[in-house]
PDB file of all heavy atoms in Angstrom:
ATOM      1  N   ALA A 807     135.307 109.864 128.645  1.00 96.00           N
ATOM      2  CA  ALA A 807     135.600 109.801 127.187  1.00 96.00           C
ATOM      3  C   ALA A 807     136.765 110.977 126.931  1.00 96.00           C
ATOM      4  O   ALA A 807     137.636 110.687 126.143  1.00 96.00           O
ATOM      5  CB  ALA A 807     134.349 110.191 126.320  1.00 96.00           C
ATOM      6  N   ALA A 808     136.447 112.005 127.593  1.00 96.00           N
ATOM      7  CA  ALA A 808     137.530 113.065 127.499  1.00 96.00           C
ATOM      8  C   ALA A 808     138.886 112.660 127.973  1.00 96.00           C
ATOM      9  O   ALA A 808     139.899 112.780 127.362  1.00 96.00           O
ATOM     10  CB  ALA A 808     137.052 114.416 128.199  1.00 96.00           C
ATOM     11  N   LEU A 809     138.792 111.934 129.122  1.00 96.00           N
ATOM     12  CA  LEU A 809     140.221 111.420 129.696  1.00 96.00           C
ATOM     13  C   LEU A 809     140.731 110.384 128.750  1.00 96.00           C
ATOM     14  O   LEU A 809     142.088 110.458 128.508  1.00 96.00           O
ATOM     15  CB  LEU A 809     140.007 110.884 131.059  1.00 96.00           C
ATOM     16  CG  LEU A 809     139.789 111.910 132.182  1.00 96.00           C
ATOM     17  CD1 LEU A 809     139.734 111.054 133.511  1.00 96.00           C
ATOM     18  CD2 LEU A 809     140.952 112.852 132.276  1.00 96.00           C
ATOM     19  N   ASN A 810     139.925 109.442 128.179  1.00 97.00           N
ATOM     20  CA  ASN A 810     140.467 108.477 127.232  1.00 97.00           C
ATOM     21  C   ASN A 810     141.090 109.150 126.038  1.00 97.00           C
ATOM     22  O   ASN A 810     142.083 108.761 125.662  1.00 97.00           O
ATOM     23  CB  ASN A 810     139.433 107.499 126.942  1.00 97.00           C
ATOM     24  CG  ASN A 810     138.933 106.579 127.997  1.00 97.00           C
ATOM     25  OD1 ASN A 810     139.818 106.288 129.008  1.00 97.00           O
ATOM     26  ND2 ASN A 810     137.731 106.063 127.904  1.00 97.00           N
ATOM     27  N   ARG A 811     140.365 110.216 125.475  1.00 97.00           N
ATOM     28  CA  ARG A 811     140.911 110.784 124.278  1.00 97.00           C
ATOM     29  C   ARG A 811     142.224 111.601 124.605  1.00 97.00           C
ATOM     30  O   ARG A 811     143.039 111.533 123.863  1.00 97.00           O
ATOM     31  CB  ARG A 811     139.782 111.728 123.669  1.00 97.00           C
ATOM     32  CG  ARG A 811     140.259 112.479 122.411  1.00 97.00           C
ATOM     33  CD  ARG A 811     140.634 111.568 121.363  1.00 97.00           C
ATOM     34  NE  ARG A 811     141.091 112.329 120.234  1.00 97.00           N
ATOM     35  CZ  ARG A 811     141.981 112.001 119.275  1.00 97.00           C
ATOM     36  NH1 ARG A 811     142.611 110.692 119.485  1.00 97.00           N
ATOM     37  NH2 ARG A 811     142.322 112.719 118.368  1.00 97.00           N
ATOM     38  N   LEU A 812     142.238 112.126 125.793  1.00 97.00           N
ATOM     39  CA  LEU A 812     143.469 112.944 126.241  1.00 97.00           C
ATOM     40  C   LEU A 812     144.612 111.901 126.251  1.00 97.00           C
ATOM     41  O   LEU A 812     145.761 112.221 125.841  1.00 97.00           O
ATOM     42  CB  LEU A 812     143.242 113.730 127.534  1.00 97.00           C
ATOM     43  CG  LEU A 812     142.542 114.963 127.590  1.00 97.00           C
ATOM     44  CD1 LEU A 812     142.132 115.356 128.992  1.00 97.00           C
ATOM     45  CD2 LEU A 812     143.493 115.993 126.949  1.00 97.00           C
ATOM     46  N   ASN A 813     144.461 110.769 126.825  1.00 97.00           N
ATOM     47  CA  ASN A 813     145.444 109.704 126.852  1.00 97.00           C
ATOM     48  C   ASN A 813     145.880 109.277 125.481  1.00 97.00           C
ATOM     49  O   ASN A 813     147.091 109.070 125.123  1.00 97.00           O
ATOM     50  CB  ASN A 813     144.991 108.469 127.646  1.00 97.00           C
ATOM     51  CG  ASN A 813     145.118 108.755 129.144  1.00 97.00           C
ATOM     52  OD1 ASN A 813     145.963 109.431 129.539  1.00 97.00           O
ATOM     53  ND2 ASN A 813     144.132 108.192 129.875  1.00 97.00           N
ATOM     54  N   GLU A 814     144.961 109.180 124.555  1.00 97.00           N
ATOM     55  CA  GLU A 814     145.285 108.860 123.250  1.00 97.00           C
ATOM     56  C   GLU A 814     146.239 110.014 122.579  1.00 97.00           C
ATOM     57  O   GLU A 814     147.176 109.735 121.816  1.00 97.00           O
ATOM     58  CB  GLU A 814     144.078 108.655 122.266  1.00 97.00           C
ATOM     59  CG  GLU A 814     143.189 107.486 122.567  1.00 97.00           C
ATOM     60  CD  GLU A 814     141.787 107.411 121.805  1.00 97.00           C
ATOM     61  OE1 GLU A 814     141.741 108.286 120.917  1.00 97.00           O
ATOM     62  OE2 GLU A 814     141.110 106.629 122.093  1.00 97.00           O
ATOM     63  N   ILE A 815     145.731 111.247 122.714  1.00 97.00           N
ATOM     64  CA  ILE A 815     146.450 112.345 122.148  1.00 97.00           C
ATOM     65  C   ILE A 815     147.975 112.324 122.687  1.00 97.00           C
ATOM     66  O   ILE A 815     148.870 112.525 121.914  1.00 97.00           O
ATOM     67  CB  ILE A 815     145.749 113.736 122.491  1.00 97.00           C
ATOM     68  CG1 ILE A 815     144.442 113.781 121.651  1.00 97.00           C
ATOM     69  CG2 ILE A 815     146.597 114.803 122.262  1.00 97.00           C
ATOM     70  CD1 ILE A 815     143.447 114.870 122.067  1.00 97.00           C
ATOM     71  N   VAL A 816     148.016 112.228 124.041  1.00 96.00           N
ATOM     72  CA  VAL A 816     149.407 112.255 124.636  1.00 96.00           C
ATOM     73  C   VAL A 816     150.268 111.149 123.977  1.00 96.00           C
ATOM     74  O   VAL A 816     151.385 111.346 123.657  1.00 96.00           O
ATOM     75  CB  VAL A 816     149.359 112.156 126.057  1.00 96.00           C
ATOM     76  CG1 VAL A 816     150.716 111.874 126.802  1.00 96.00           C
ATOM     77  CG2 VAL A 816     148.675 113.414 126.797  1.00 96.00           C
ATOM     78  N   GLY A 817     149.657 109.916 123.835  1.00 95.00           N
ATOM     79  CA  GLY A 817     150.369 108.854 123.300  1.00 95.00           C
ATOM     80  C   GLY A 817     150.859 109.186 121.879  1.00 95.00           C
ATOM     81  O   GLY A 817     151.967 108.826 121.481  1.00 95.00           O
ATOM     82  N   ARG A 818     149.993 109.713 121.104  1.00 95.00           N
ATOM     83  CA  ARG A 818     150.346 110.084 119.649  1.00 95.00           C
ATOM     84  C   ARG A 818     151.447 111.149 119.736  1.00 95.00           C
ATOM     85  O   ARG A 818     152.338 111.025 118.883  1.00 95.00           O
ATOM     86  CB  ARG A 818     149.171 110.521 118.966  1.00 95.00           C
ATOM     87  CG  ARG A 818     148.198 109.409 118.633  1.00 95.00           C
ATOM     88  CD  ARG A 818     147.299 109.709 117.504  1.00 95.00           C
ATOM     89  NE  ARG A 818     147.884 109.993 116.306  1.00 95.00           N
ATOM     90  CZ  ARG A 818     147.273 110.763 115.381  1.00 95.00           C
ATOM     91  NH1 ARG A 818     146.091 111.184 115.383  1.00 95.00           N
ATOM     92  NH2 ARG A 818     147.970 111.121 114.225  1.00 95.00           N
ATOM     93  N   ILE A 819     151.223 112.153 120.479  1.00 93.00           N
ATOM     94  CA  ILE A 819     152.285 113.241 120.409  1.00 93.00           C
ATOM     95  C   ILE A 819     153.615 112.687 120.843  1.00 93.00           C
ATOM     96  O   ILE A 819     154.687 113.074 120.270  1.00 93.00           O
ATOM     97  CB  ILE A 819     151.845 114.465 121.214  1.00 93.00           C
ATOM     98  CG1 ILE A 819     150.570 115.120 120.600  1.00 93.00           C
ATOM     99  CG2 ILE A 819     152.868 115.315 121.496  1.00 93.00           C
ATOM    100  CD1 ILE A 819     149.935 116.278 121.315  1.00 93.00           C
ATOM    101  N   GLU A 820     153.687 111.891 121.899  1.00 94.00           N
ATOM    102  CA  GLU A 820     154.855 111.344 122.499  1.00 94.00           C
ATOM    103  C   GLU A 820     155.432 110.261 121.608  1.00 94.00           C
ATOM    104  O   GLU A 820     156.708 110.148 121.490  1.00 94.00           O
ATOM    105  CB  GLU A 820     154.720 110.876 123.883  1.00 94.00           C
ATOM    106  CG  GLU A 820     154.463 111.914 124.858  1.00 94.00           C
ATOM    107  CD  GLU A 820     154.209 111.373 126.407  1.00 94.00           C
ATOM    108  OE1 GLU A 820     154.098 110.167 126.471  1.00 94.00           O
ATOM    109  OE2 GLU A 820     154.353 112.186 127.283  1.00 94.00           O
ATOM    110  N   GLY A 821     154.681 109.525 120.997  1.00 92.00           N
ATOM    111  CA  GLY A 821     155.108 108.312 120.299  1.00 92.00           C
ATOM    112  C   GLY A 821     155.357 108.304 118.769  1.00 92.00           C
ATOM    113  O   GLY A 821     155.939 107.440 118.173  1.00 92.00           O
ATOM    114  N   GLU A 822     154.759 109.244 118.131  1.00 84.00           N
ATOM    115  CA  GLU A 822     154.746 109.333 116.718  1.00 84.00           C
ATOM    116  C   GLU A 822     155.509 110.543 116.284  1.00 84.00           C
ATOM    117  O   GLU A 822     155.602 111.613 116.919  1.00 84.00           O
ATOM    118  CB  GLU A 822     153.348 109.539 116.179  1.00 84.00           C
ATOM    119  CG  GLU A 822     152.495 108.295 116.375  1.00 84.00           C
ATOM    120  CD  GLU A 822     151.142 108.397 115.763  1.00 84.00           C
ATOM    121  OE1 GLU A 822     150.943 109.019 114.746  1.00 84.00           O
ATOM    122  OE2 GLU A 822     150.111 107.738 116.409  1.00 84.00           O
ATOM    123  N   SER A 823     156.131 110.427 115.030  1.00 91.00           N
ATOM    124  CA  SER A 823     156.779 111.543 114.417  1.00 91.00           C
ATOM    125  C   SER A 823     155.698 112.242 113.589  1.00 91.00           C
ATOM    126  O   SER A 823     155.310 111.745 112.514  1.00 91.00           O
ATOM    127  CB  SER A 823     157.857 111.071 113.533  1.00 91.00           C
ATOM    128  OG  SER A 823     158.501 112.125 112.823  1.00 91.00           O
ATOM    129  N   LEU A 824     155.102 113.317 114.029  1.00 93.00           N
ATOM    130  CA  LEU A 824     153.959 113.973 113.323  1.00 93.00           C
ATOM    131  C   LEU A 824     154.378 115.349 112.789  1.00 93.00           C
ATOM    132  O   LEU A 824     155.466 115.944 113.188  1.00 93.00           O
ATOM    133  CB  LEU A 824     152.800 114.288 114.460  1.00 93.00           C
ATOM    134  CG  LEU A 824     152.249 113.093 115.284  1.00 93.00           C
ATOM    135  CD1 LEU A 824     151.467 113.653 116.331  1.00 93.00           C
ATOM    136  CD2 LEU A 824     151.466 112.302 114.325  1.00 93.00           C
ATOM    137  N   GLU A 825     153.782 115.707 111.762  1.00 95.00           N
ATOM    138  CA  GLU A 825     153.964 117.028 111.202  1.00 95.00           C
ATOM    139  C   GLU A 825     153.519 118.016 112.166  1.00 95.00           C
ATOM    140  O   GLU A 825     152.771 117.788 113.015  1.00 95.00           O
ATOM    141  CB  GLU A 825     153.072 117.169 109.772  1.00 95.00           C
ATOM    142  CG  GLU A 825     153.407 116.117 108.697  1.00 95.00           C
ATOM    143  CD  GLU A 825     154.726 116.510 108.109  1.00 95.00           C
ATOM    144  OE1 GLU A 825     155.069 117.683 108.001  1.00 95.00           O
ATOM    145  OE2 GLU A 825     155.462 115.579 107.644  1.00 95.00           O
ATOM    146  N   LEU A 826     154.091 119.286 112.105  1.00 94.00           N
ATOM    147  CA  LEU A 826     153.842 120.193 113.000  1.00 94.00           C
ATOM    148  C   LEU A 826     152.412 120.645 112.997  1.00 94.00           C
ATOM    149  O   LEU A 826     151.661 120.724 114.086  1.00 94.00           O
ATOM    150  CB  LEU A 826     154.647 121.572 112.513  1.00 94.00           C
ATOM    151  CG  LEU A 826     154.386 122.710 113.492  1.00 94.00           C
ATOM    152  CD1 LEU A 826     154.756 122.436 114.996  1.00 94.00           C
ATOM    153  CD2 LEU A 826     155.171 124.000 112.999  1.00 94.00           C
ATOM    154  N   ASP A 827     151.705 120.680 111.837  1.00 96.00           N
ATOM    155  CA  ASP A 827     150.278 120.988 111.799  1.00 96.00           C
ATOM    156  C   ASP A 827     149.456 119.954 112.604  1.00 96.00           C
ATOM    157  O   ASP A 827     148.499 120.197 113.290  1.00 96.00           O
ATOM    158  CB  ASP A 827     149.796 121.063 110.312  1.00 96.00           C
ATOM    159  CG  ASP A 827     150.242 122.443 109.727  1.00 96.00           C
ATOM    160  OD1 ASP A 827     150.631 123.340 110.433  1.00 96.00           O
ATOM    161  OD2 ASP A 827     150.126 122.431 108.498  1.00 96.00           O
ATOM    162  N   ASP A 828     149.836 118.689 112.305  1.00 95.00           N
ATOM    163  CA  ASP A 828     149.150 117.630 113.041  1.00 95.00           C
ATOM    164  C   ASP A 828     149.243 117.722 114.601  1.00 95.00           C
ATOM    165  O   ASP A 828     148.331 117.445 115.370  1.00 95.00           O
ATOM    166  CB  ASP A 828     149.565 116.140 112.563  1.00 95.00           C
ATOM    167  CG  ASP A 828     149.241 115.981 111.031  1.00 95.00           C
ATOM    168  OD1 ASP A 828     148.224 116.580 110.608  1.00 95.00           O
ATOM    169  OD2 ASP A 828     149.829 115.241 110.385  1.00 95.00           O
ATOM    170  N   SER A 829     150.637 117.912 114.955  1.00 95.00           N
ATOM    171  CA  SER A 829     150.835 118.138 116.445  1.00 95.00           C
ATOM    172  C   SER A 829     150.022 119.171 117.038  1.00 95.00           C
ATOM    173  O   SER A 829     149.468 119.192 118.062  1.00 95.00           O
ATOM    174  CB  SER A 829     152.295 118.299 116.637  1.00 95.00           C
ATOM    175  OG  SER A 829     153.072 117.240 116.316  1.00 95.00           O
ATOM    176  N   LEU A 830     150.055 120.442 116.334  1.00 96.00           N
ATOM    177  CA  LEU A 830     149.286 121.554 116.795  1.00 96.00           C
ATOM    178  C   LEU A 830     147.736 121.249 116.913  1.00 96.00           C
ATOM    179  O   LEU A 830     147.059 121.561 117.785  1.00 96.00           O
ATOM    180  CB  LEU A 830     149.364 122.714 115.936  1.00 96.00           C
ATOM    181  CG  LEU A 830     150.818 123.415 116.160  1.00 96.00           C
ATOM    182  CD1 LEU A 830     150.969 124.497 115.054  1.00 96.00           C
ATOM    183  CD2 LEU A 830     150.908 124.078 117.624  1.00 96.00           C
ATOM    184  N   ALA A 831     147.264 120.474 115.940  1.00 97.00           N
ATOM    185  CA  ALA A 831     145.700 120.176 115.940  1.00 97.00           C
ATOM    186  C   ALA A 831     145.539 119.262 117.058  1.00 97.00           C
ATOM    187  O   ALA A 831     144.423 119.443 117.858  1.00 97.00           O
ATOM    188  CB  ALA A 831     145.398 119.471 114.652  1.00 97.00           C
ATOM    189  N   LEU A 832     146.335 118.336 117.377  1.00 97.00           N
ATOM    190  CA  LEU A 832     146.196 117.436 118.526  1.00 97.00           C
ATOM    191  C   LEU A 832     146.273 118.173 119.816  1.00 97.00           C
ATOM    192  O   LEU A 832     145.485 117.924 120.810  1.00 97.00           O
ATOM    193  CB  LEU A 832     147.141 116.263 118.450  1.00 97.00           C
ATOM    194  CG  LEU A 832     146.910 115.151 117.512  1.00 97.00           C
ATOM    195  CD1 LEU A 832     147.989 114.162 117.413  1.00 97.00           C
ATOM    196  CD2 LEU A 832     145.534 114.407 117.756  1.00 97.00           C
ATOM    197  N   PHE A 833     147.208 119.104 119.854  1.00 96.00           N
ATOM    198  CA  PHE A 833     147.422 119.836 121.076  1.00 96.00           C
ATOM    199  C   PHE A 833     146.186 120.681 121.428  1.00 96.00           C
ATOM    200  O   PHE A 833     145.706 120.823 122.480  1.00 96.00           O
ATOM    201  CB  PHE A 833     148.618 120.702 120.984  1.00 96.00           C
ATOM    202  CG  PHE A 833     148.929 121.556 122.230  1.00 96.00           C
ATOM    203  CD1 PHE A 833     149.607 120.989 123.295  1.00 96.00           C
ATOM    204  CD2 PHE A 833     148.617 122.894 122.274  1.00 96.00           C
ATOM    205  CE1 PHE A 833     149.788 121.680 124.501  1.00 96.00           C
ATOM    206  CE2 PHE A 833     148.908 123.651 123.378  1.00 96.00           C
ATOM    207  CZ  PHE A 833     149.467 122.970 124.517  1.00 96.00           C
ATOM    208  N   GLU A 834     145.675 121.368 120.357  1.00 97.00           N
ATOM    209  CA  GLU A 834     144.533 122.248 120.416  1.00 97.00           C
ATOM    210  C   GLU A 834     143.309 121.303 120.953  1.00 97.00           C
ATOM    211  O   GLU A 834     142.441 121.772 121.821  1.00 97.00           O
ATOM    212  CB  GLU A 834     144.081 122.904 119.181  1.00 97.00           C
ATOM    213  CG  GLU A 834     145.066 123.947 118.716  1.00 97.00           C
ATOM    214  CD  GLU A 834     144.702 124.595 117.426  1.00 97.00           C
ATOM    215  OE1 GLU A 834     143.625 124.392 116.840  1.00 97.00           O
ATOM    216  OE2 GLU A 834     145.648 125.328 116.924  1.00 97.00           O
ATOM    217  N   GLU A 835     143.137 120.135 120.414  1.00 97.00           N
ATOM    218  CA  GLU A 835     141.948 119.313 120.841  1.00 97.00           C
ATOM    219  C   GLU A 835     142.269 118.845 122.354  1.00 97.00           C
ATOM    220  O   GLU A 835     141.309 118.952 123.061  1.00 97.00           O
ATOM    221  CB  GLU A 835     141.946 118.051 120.012  1.00 97.00           C
ATOM    222  CG  GLU A 835     140.915 117.091 120.441  1.00 97.00           C
ATOM    223  CD  GLU A 835     140.875 115.730 119.574  1.00 97.00           C
ATOM    224  OE1 GLU A 835     141.780 115.647 118.731  1.00 97.00           O
ATOM    225  OE2 GLU A 835     140.051 114.887 119.863  1.00 97.00           O
ATOM    226  N   GLY A 836     143.465 118.624 122.764  1.00 97.00           N
ATOM    227  CA  GLY A 836     143.840 118.175 124.095  1.00 97.00           C
ATOM    228  C   GLY A 836     143.432 119.344 125.013  1.00 97.00           C
ATOM    229  O   GLY A 836     142.937 119.075 126.169  1.00 97.00           O
ATOM    230  N   VAL A 837     143.826 120.572 124.662  1.00 97.00           N
ATOM    231  CA  VAL A 837     143.546 121.731 125.555  1.00 97.00           C
ATOM    232  C   VAL A 837     141.988 121.880 125.749  1.00 97.00           C
ATOM    233  O   VAL A 837     141.560 122.119 126.708  1.00 97.00           O
ATOM    234  CB  VAL A 837     144.177 123.036 125.031  1.00 97.00           C
ATOM    235  CG1 VAL A 837     143.672 124.309 125.681  1.00 97.00           C
ATOM    236  CG2 VAL A 837     145.668 122.904 125.191  1.00 97.00           C
ATOM    237  N   ARG A 838     141.275 121.757 124.605  1.00 97.00           N
ATOM    238  CA  ARG A 838     139.903 121.826 124.611  1.00 97.00           C
ATOM    239  C   ARG A 838     139.177 120.731 125.636  1.00 97.00           C
ATOM    240  O   ARG A 838     138.416 121.078 126.452  1.00 97.00           O
ATOM    241  CB  ARG A 838     139.265 121.706 123.342  1.00 97.00           C
ATOM    242  CG  ARG A 838     137.649 121.868 123.244  1.00 97.00           C
ATOM    243  CD  ARG A 838     137.051 121.644 121.814  1.00 97.00           C
ATOM    244  NE  ARG A 838     137.513 120.397 121.212  1.00 97.00           N
ATOM    245  CZ  ARG A 838     136.841 119.049 121.552  1.00 97.00           C
ATOM    246  NH1 ARG A 838     135.986 119.145 122.459  1.00 97.00           N
ATOM    247  NH2 ARG A 838     137.283 118.065 120.948  1.00 97.00           N
ATOM    248  N   LEU A 839     139.755 119.531 125.467  1.00 97.00           N
ATOM    249  CA  LEU A 839     139.251 118.499 126.323  1.00 97.00           C
ATOM    250  C   LEU A 839     139.604 118.570 127.767  1.00 97.00           C
ATOM    251  O   LEU A 839     138.874 118.394 128.654  1.00 97.00           O
ATOM    252  CB  LEU A 839     139.763 117.148 125.788  1.00 97.00           C
ATOM    253  CG  LEU A 839     139.181 116.624 124.412  1.00 97.00           C
ATOM    254  CD1 LEU A 839     139.957 115.478 123.922  1.00 97.00           C
ATOM    255  CD2 LEU A 839     137.783 116.161 124.703  1.00 97.00           C
ATOM    256  N   LEU A 840     140.829 119.150 127.982  1.00 96.00           N
ATOM    257  CA  LEU A 840     141.298 119.391 129.298  1.00 96.00           C
ATOM    258  C   LEU A 840     140.329 120.468 130.077  1.00 96.00           C
ATOM    259  O   LEU A 840     139.958 120.221 131.213  1.00 96.00           O
ATOM    260  CB  LEU A 840     142.724 119.735 129.376  1.00 96.00           C
ATOM    261  CG  LEU A 840     143.353 120.093 130.732  1.00 96.00           C
ATOM    262  CD1 LEU A 840     143.259 118.874 131.641  1.00 96.00           C
ATOM    263  CD2 LEU A 840     144.843 120.583 130.662  1.00 96.00           C
ATOM    264  N   ARG A 841     140.102 121.511 129.304  1.00 97.00           N
ATOM    265  CA  ARG A 841     139.277 122.581 129.801  1.00 97.00           C
ATOM    266  C   ARG A 841     137.804 121.975 130.191  1.00 97.00           C
ATOM    267  O   ARG A 841     137.224 122.345 131.103  1.00 97.00           O
ATOM    268  CB  ARG A 841     139.175 123.784 128.879  1.00 97.00           C
ATOM    269  CG  ARG A 841     140.340 124.535 128.897  1.00 97.00           C
ATOM    270  CD  ARG A 841     140.388 125.723 128.077  1.00 97.00           C
ATOM    271  NE  ARG A 841     141.628 126.438 128.004  1.00 97.00           N
ATOM    272  CZ  ARG A 841     142.194 127.085 127.038  1.00 97.00           C
ATOM    273  NH1 ARG A 841     141.478 127.262 125.966  1.00 97.00           N
ATOM    274  NH2 ARG A 841     143.315 127.679 127.126  1.00 97.00           N
ATOM    275  N   HIS A 842     137.390 121.138 129.257  1.00 96.00           N
ATOM    276  CA  HIS A 842     136.047 120.550 129.445  1.00 96.00           C
ATOM    277  C   HIS A 842     136.055 119.634 130.720  1.00 96.00           C
ATOM    278  O   HIS A 842     135.202 119.628 131.491  1.00 96.00           O
ATOM    279  CB  HIS A 842     135.654 119.745 128.208  1.00 96.00           C
ATOM    280  CG  HIS A 842     134.413 118.860 128.393  1.00 96.00           C
ATOM    281  ND1 HIS A 842     133.147 119.466 128.559  1.00 96.00           N
ATOM    282  CD2 HIS A 842     134.247 117.554 128.613  1.00 96.00           C
ATOM    283  CE1 HIS A 842     132.282 118.388 128.765  1.00 96.00           C
ATOM    284  NE2 HIS A 842     132.954 117.256 128.716  1.00 96.00           N
ATOM    285  N   ALA A 843     137.073 118.841 130.851  1.00 96.00           N
ATOM    286  CA  ALA A 843     137.251 117.880 131.903  1.00 96.00           C
ATOM    287  C   ALA A 843     137.258 118.691 133.316  1.00 96.00           C
ATOM    288  O   ALA A 843     136.677 118.350 134.284  1.00 96.00           O
ATOM    289  CB  ALA A 843     138.359 116.999 131.815  1.00 96.00           C
ATOM    290  N   GLU A 844     138.027 119.766 133.180  1.00 96.00           N
ATOM    291  CA  GLU A 844     138.105 120.621 134.392  1.00 96.00           C
ATOM    292  C   GLU A 844     136.789 121.163 134.811  1.00 96.00           C
ATOM    293  O   GLU A 844     136.465 121.387 135.903  1.00 96.00           O
ATOM    294  CB  GLU A 844     139.302 121.820 134.257  1.00 96.00           C
ATOM    295  CG  GLU A 844     140.563 121.349 134.304  1.00 96.00           C
ATOM    296  CD  GLU A 844     141.613 122.392 133.937  1.00 96.00           C
ATOM    297  OE1 GLU A 844     141.151 123.359 133.336  1.00 96.00           O
ATOM    298  OE2 GLU A 844     142.648 122.218 134.341  1.00 96.00           O
ATOM    299  N   GLY A 845     136.075 121.628 133.861  1.00 96.00           N
ATOM    300  CA  GLY A 845     134.636 122.169 134.168  1.00 96.00           C
ATOM    301  C   GLY A 845     133.745 121.174 134.652  1.00 96.00           C
ATOM    302  O   GLY A 845     133.023 121.490 135.635  1.00 96.00           O
ATOM    303  N   VAL A 846     133.835 120.005 134.117  1.00 96.00           N
ATOM    304  CA  VAL A 846     133.075 118.798 134.676  1.00 96.00           C
ATOM    305  C   VAL A 846     133.402 118.627 136.166  1.00 96.00           C
ATOM    306  O   VAL A 846     132.572 118.479 137.051  1.00 96.00           O
ATOM    307  CB  VAL A 846     133.234 117.554 133.837  1.00 96.00           C
ATOM    308  CG1 VAL A 846     132.467 116.337 134.584  1.00 96.00           C
ATOM    309  CG2 VAL A 846     132.701 117.710 132.438  1.00 96.00           C
ATOM    310  N   LEU A 847     134.697 118.618 136.477  1.00 95.00           N
ATOM    311  CA  LEU A 847     135.209 118.380 137.925  1.00 95.00           C
ATOM    312  C   LEU A 847     134.683 119.530 138.880  1.00 95.00           C
ATOM    313  O   LEU A 847     134.169 119.257 139.890  1.00 95.00           O
ATOM    314  CB  LEU A 847     136.655 118.290 137.989  1.00 95.00           C
ATOM    315  CG  LEU A 847     137.150 116.975 137.462  1.00 95.00           C
ATOM    316  CD1 LEU A 847     138.737 116.998 137.495  1.00 95.00           C
ATOM    317  CD2 LEU A 847     136.719 115.782 138.128  1.00 95.00           C
ATOM    318  N   GLU A 848     134.724 120.822 138.339  1.00 96.00           N
ATOM    319  CA  GLU A 848     134.386 122.007 139.107  1.00 96.00           C
ATOM    320  C   GLU A 848     132.865 121.771 139.320  1.00 96.00           C
ATOM    321  O   GLU A 848     132.324 122.222 140.373  1.00 96.00           O
ATOM    322  CB  GLU A 848     134.669 123.200 138.341  1.00 96.00           C
ATOM    323  CG  GLU A 848     136.078 123.561 138.434  1.00 96.00           C
ATOM    324  CD  GLU A 848     136.466 124.735 137.587  1.00 96.00           C
ATOM    325  OE1 GLU A 848     135.587 125.449 137.091  1.00 96.00           O
ATOM    326  OE2 GLU A 848     137.729 124.927 137.429  1.00 96.00           O
ATOM    327  N   GLY A 849     132.075 121.304 138.338  1.00 95.00           N
ATOM    328  CA  GLY A 849     130.568 121.246 138.463  1.00 95.00           C
ATOM    329  C   GLY A 849     130.269 120.117 139.497  1.00 95.00           C
ATOM    330  O   GLY A 849     129.338 120.361 140.347  1.00 95.00           O
ATOM    331  N   ALA A 850     131.002 119.096 139.464  1.00 94.00           N
ATOM    332  CA  ALA A 850     130.753 117.984 140.380  1.00 94.00           C
ATOM    333  C   ALA A 850     131.047 118.487 141.766  1.00 94.00           C
ATOM    334  O   ALA A 850     130.336 118.134 142.748  1.00 94.00           O
ATOM    335  CB  ALA A 850     131.589 116.713 140.007  1.00 94.00           C
TER     336      ALA A 850
END
């Protein structure tokens, strides 16, 4: 689910003309998800 959401976020940031606040919010969510996914991989 984290990887799927990360792909959605990248698609939105790359494909849409977003307000700065929206881009930053998506970026922050992406960083959180990336750290979570890295933690899951390290645990595995």
